[in-house]
């Protein structure tokens, strides 16, 4: 999973090899975010990423198109479509839709989000061709598969899953693991900041009255 070969002495290739590990970082971030926030939408997003990966595996075995270069260590034999490209464009497209349609942030934040996610996905796609792990067509079709999959999953989440969140939140297992629905809160970070600050001030006042 972490073995990436590149031409010795090529610093750009070395940088691209490091960038190739970005999907693993994103998976770790997904797991960490869900364990910390216990949010149903984060869980649904993560499930979409898993389904996207499974779809890529099925497509690769069905199309059975070889990679442009045989490697000494190779995690997957086939290269159509590129799993890195499909993964990144799925995550990026979903994040774009979520940022533009769901978040109530400033336009500057949304523009920054667009630049970061599109830039990361484009760089990843190009790096796979540069390192000769995939052909241009393999990363293009991977990007299209990931992007289309993200659009479909976002629509499914918005129209089907989100209305069910309040019901799922009331399940006994959800209460036990403190799984919650924060869909109705436009800015969860600001909400938590204000709530925690208010609670801290209340406790300080209560402690001061008790000491007096």
């Amino acid at each position: 999973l972490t073995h990436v070969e590149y031409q010795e002495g090529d610093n750009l290739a070395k940088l691209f090899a490091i960038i190739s590990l970005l999907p693993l970082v994103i998976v770790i971030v997904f797991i960490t975010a869900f364990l910390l926030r216990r949010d149903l939408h984060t869980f649904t997003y993560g499930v979409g990423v898993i389904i996207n990966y499974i779809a890529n595996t099925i497509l690769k075995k069905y199309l059975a198109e070889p990679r442009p270069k045989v490697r000494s260590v190779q995690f997957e034999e086939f290269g159509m479509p590129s799993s890195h490209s499909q993964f990144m464009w799925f995550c990026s497209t979903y994040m774009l839709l979520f940022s533009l349609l769901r978040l109530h942030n400033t336009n500057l934040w949304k523009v920054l989000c667009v630049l970061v996610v599109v830039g990361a996905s484009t760089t990843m796609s190009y790096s796979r061709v540069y390192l000769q792990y995939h052909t241009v067509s393999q990363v293009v079709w991977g990007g299209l598969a990931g992007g289309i999959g993200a659009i479909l999953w976002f629509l499914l989440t918005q129209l089907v899953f989100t209305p069910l969140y309040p019901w799922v939140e009331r399940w006994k297992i959800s209460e036990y693991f403190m799984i919650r629905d924060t869909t109705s809160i436009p800015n969860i970070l600001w909400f938590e900041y204000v709530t925690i600050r208010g609670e801290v001030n209340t406790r300080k006042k209560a402690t001061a009255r008790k000491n007096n």
Side-chain angles (χ1 to χ4, degrees):
L1 286 175
T2 59
H3 184 95
V4 184
E5 294 181 359
Y6 61 93
Q7 188 66 38
E8 187 176 4
D10 189 338
N11 291 327
L12 182 59
K14 183 177 182 178
L15 175 62
F16 284 156
I18 296 172
I19 292 175
S20 296
L21 303 178
L22 186 57
L24 288 178
V25 175
I26 293 176
V27 169
I28 294 172
V29 170
F30 263 118
I31 296 173
T32 304
F34 177 71
L35 291 177
L36 288 176
R37 311 204 66 85
R38 315 289 177 92
D39 179 59
L40 283 168
H41 190 270
T42 304
F43 176 77
T44 306
Y45 190 3
V47 170
V49 172
I50 295 173
I51 293 175
N52 178 67
Y53 177 78
I54 294 173
N56 177 265
T57 302
I58 294 173
L59 285 171
K60 275 185 175 179
K61 291 184 178 180
Y62 176 75
L63 297 172
E65 181 176 305
R67 295 176 182 272
K69 184 178 180 180
V70 178
R71 304 282 176 164
S72 59
V73 177
Q74 198 157 275
F75 181 66
E76 292 176 314
E77 179 183 2
F78 304 118
M80 172 63 90
S82 165
S83 56
H84 281 73
S85 180
Q86 185 170 331
F87 178 94
M88 288 300 298
W89 282 105
F90 178 92
C91 292
S92 296
T93 304
Y94 192 98
M95 185 59 68
L96 278 176
L97 293 172
F98 183 81
S99 299
L100 296 175
L101 302 177
R102 287 281 304 274
L103 293 184
H104 298 271
N105 294 94
T106 62
N107 289 330
L108 178 61
W109 169 259
K110 292 182 179 181
V111 170
L112 180 62
C113 178
V114 170
L115 293 176
V116 169
V117 298
V118 172
S121 296
T122 302
T123 302
M124 176 65 75
S125 299
Y126 178 73
S127 72
R128 302 307 287 173
V129 177
Y130 187 90
L131 294 172
Q132 296 183 314
Y133 274 93
H134 293 284
T135 63
V136 173
S137 62
Q138 288 173 354
V139 298
V140 169
W141 283 109
L144 286 174
I148 293 172
I151 293 172
L152 294 175
W153 191 252
F154 183 82
L155 291 174
L156 187 63
T157 300
Q158 291 295 107
L159 301 177
V160 179
F161 298 146
T162 300
L164 296 176
Y165 286 164
W167 174 61
V168 175
E169 187 183 36
R170 292 191 296 270
W171 290 357
K172 288 296 183 181
I173 190 172
S174 298
E175 293 178 358
Y176 180 80
F177 288 106
M178 294 183 288
I179 296 173
R180 53 203 167 185
D181 172 28
T182 58
T183 305
S184 59
I185 302 175
N187 191 327
I188 186 64
L189 291 178
W190 177 253
F191 173 80
E192 289 181 346
Y193 171 74
V194 172
T195 303
I196 292 173
R197 187 175 64 175
E199 180 65 21
V200 169
N201 290 334
T202 300
R203 289 176 180 270
K204 284 182 178 179
K205 291 177 181 178
T207 302
R209 287 195 300 267
K210 184 178 179 180
N211 292 335
N212 292 334

